Amino acid sequence: MDGKIYIAYGKDAKEMTLSLLERANIKDRIPKGARIALKPNLVVAKPAAEGATTHTGILEALIEYLYQHGHRQIAIMESAWVGERTERAFDLCGYNKLSEKYGVPLYDLKKDRTIDIDTPIGKMSVARRVTEVDYLINLPVLKGHCQTRMTCALKNLKGCLPDREKRRFHGLGLHRPIAALAAALKPALTIVDSICGDLNFEEGGTPIQTNRILLGEDMVQLDAYGCHLMGIDVHAVEYIPLAEKYGAGKMEFREGDIIQINRPGLTEEYTRASGLVRRLIRNVQQRDACSPCFGNLVHALYRLEQEGTSFTGPIAIGQGWQGKAFNGIGIGRCCDGAAKQLAGCPPSAEDIKRALLAGK
Ligand code: SF4
């Protein structure tokens, strides 16, 4: 795949994931007879629509694809955060039904035997089962995090640890051990659920609809690109440059590395948006905006506020603005009649932030 990130837009996680797997021709990259593990993010027992956990449609697509290409040794593995029972998360997030439907076993890694592995910062205790697979598929959610700002591929691997090691990670300041664990485990493939990841907390509650899924092999690159989409300075998320330093991957991505396999679609209306989101979008005039475009704008406005600044002028976004005059800043290529325009389809939150700061 040569450092490429594939992106699919849509509302059907299963269909989008299948398209990504086909497009990236993943079947040719999996060794024959491989023992395959799917590692979702089930940090808490909340449905995926809350913005914290991995949509089951992604796993459905993967299992069907793997079966179709002759792979039968598949398992789903996870360990919820300290204080949550993984079995409760399996049940509430729809994984028990998934397991029954496809005959794929679920493993609660909290209950697994552990093994000490070597990492760039010393020994770490991980669930033994994770070390016994040939092809590890990481299935994180791209979302905000109250301590590390964002969480995606690298941090999702913390769910391969027993609870006592998770606690030790916090004592070590999180960043170094997250980066070191990622360098030691290095999953073969990562599929990022960016359908409705949370704006600011890993446990969900403020999901922002962006209706996209990303696929790539380099977790560090995916996390760096995730920062770009969310309007976060990658160097402010200490564990990402550290992971590069420890050999987990490369942060760099160029325009040609990003392959959008289809076009974005219209957004849900933000009628059910939380008070925080309603406040952030108070100056936004939305007319038929696509979800990734609108979601990226919400992220940009939130990051600006977090950084102690804001943009108070009028903002236009959406396909309904095509060819129409607007006396303010227009976000995306559709707003071609705006007094100031940020092109892109969809523009990232990082680019939106920069444009809003320049337009102040
Ligand atoms: S620029 Fe227009 S078409 Fe492109 S994502 Fe934004 S709203 Fe959709």
Side-chain angles (χ1 to χ4, degrees):
M1 279 171 55
D2 307 325
K4 299 279 185 278
I5 293 176
Y6 293 84
I7 304 179
Y9 298 104
K11 292 187 178 171
D12 185 330
K14 183 174 171 185
E15 197 182 286
M16 291 152 75
T17 307
L18 275 171
S19 307
L20 286 167
L21 292 165
E22 296 286 358
R23 179 64 191 270
N25 204 17
I26 293 301
K27 67 176 191 317
D28 289 351
R29 307 187 71 83
I30 308 175
K32 205 165 170 236
R35 291 162 299 174
I36 300 170
L38 312 183
K39 162 64 182 81
N41 184 332
L42 299 179
V43 61
V44 286
K46 288 184 182 174
E50 291 278 317
T53 55
T54 308
H55 286 79
T56 50
I58 294 177
L59 290 95
E60 283 196 45
L62 262 167
I63 295 166
E64 288 186 15
Y65 180 85
L66 292 169
Y67 278 171
Q68 189 194 340
H69 294 290
H71 295 282
R72 309 301 302 184
Q73 298 187 77
I74 309 167
I76 299 169
M77 306 179 182
E78 172 61 321
S79 155
W81 72 3
V82 176
E84 180 63 271
R85 284 192 303 113
T86 313
E87 284 139 333
R88 195 168 158 260
F90 280 149
D91 188 29
L92 225 135
C93 300
Y95 282 65
N96 284 346
K97 282 192 189 137
L98 181 80
S99 165
E100 274 166 35
K101 180 175 172 188
Y102 290 101
V104 170
L106 298 173
Y107 292 109
D108 175 359
L109 296 181
K110 288 190 195 228
K111 296 186 173 165
D112 202 23
R113 284 182 300 151
T114 59
I115 184 169
D116 286 347
I117 60 165
D118 289 316
T119 80
I121 61 165
K123 297 270 184 207
M124 269 182 206
S125 178
V126 304
R128 181 181 288 266
R129 215 172 268 284
V130 177
T131 65
E132 292 171 345
V133 302
D134 306 304
Y135 196 84
L136 177 59
I137 306 181
N138 191 15
L139 304 171
V141 176
L142 176 64
K143 55 187 170 176
H145 190 279
C146 59
Q147 287 167 285
T148 59
R149 292 174 193 240
M150 67 85 79
T151 167
C152 185
L154 295 163
K155 194 171 168 301
N156 191 41
L157 297 175
K158 203 161 156 258
C160 299
L161 304 174
D163 279 357
R164 67 169 190 287
E165 190 69 320
K166 289 190 196 118
R167 289 192 192 94
R168 194 172 77 91
F169 264 42
H170 284 270
L172 293 170
L174 274 180
H175 292 279
R176 280 177 66 242
I178 288 171
L181 177 66
L185 291 182
K186 253 191 174 171
L189 178 69
T190 297
I191 300 177
V192 178
D193 182 341
S194 181
I195 292 172
C196 61
D198 200 80
L199 182 65
N200 46 7
F201 288 108
E202 74 167 324
E203 64 265 47
T206 311
I208 302 297
Q209 211 73 34
T210 43
N211 290 346
R212 66 190 165 210
I213 296 177
L214 292 73
L215 178 149
E217 288 181 330
D218 186 330
M219 290 178 296
V220 180
Q221 186 194 39
L222 280 160
D223 272 19
Y225 187 63
C227 283
H228 176 70
L229 291 175
M230 294 172 81
I232 295 170
D233 174 7
V234 67
H235 294 282
V237 187
E238 241 179 277
Y239 66 74
I240 302 177
L242 267 176
E244 181 178 76
K245 186 176 147 198
Y246 293 155
K250 296 240 178 291
M251 292 199 295
E252 188 189 16
F253 58 86
R254 286 160 298 174
E255 211 182 310
D257 296 333
I258 310 301
I259 300 167
Q260 302 192 125
I261 70 168
N262 62 354
R263 304 303 316 156
L266 296 186
T267 189
E268 315 292 318
E269 284 195 349
Y270 274 80
T271 46
R272 284 176 291 115
S274 66
L276 166 64
V277 175
R278 279 204 304 276
R279 181 167 56 71
L280 290 169
I281 61 174
R282 63 193 178 280
N283 300 322
V284 176
Q285 297 185 39
Q286 189 261 130
R287 291 187 189 170
D288 295 335
C290 300
S291 24
C293 216
F294 198 82
N296 288 354
L297 173 60
V298 173
H299 276 281
L301 292 167
Y302 178 70
R303 309 295 157 211
L304 282 178
E305 190 174 274
Q306 289 294 296
E307 290 160 21
T309 181
S310 61
F311 181 80
T312 50
I315 300 170
I317 188 167
Q319 297 180 26
W321 283 104
Q322 278 171 25
K324 299 206 171 71
F326 180 75
N327 190 19
I329 187 159
I331 302 300
R333 73 164 185 201
C334 295
C335 296
D336 46 4
K340 286 183 186 169
Q341 183 196 12
L342 168 67
C345 180
S348 69
E350 190 178 357
D351 291 341
I352 297 173
K353 249 177 73 181
R354 211 173 290 131
L356 295 179
L357 281 170
K360 272 176 75 169

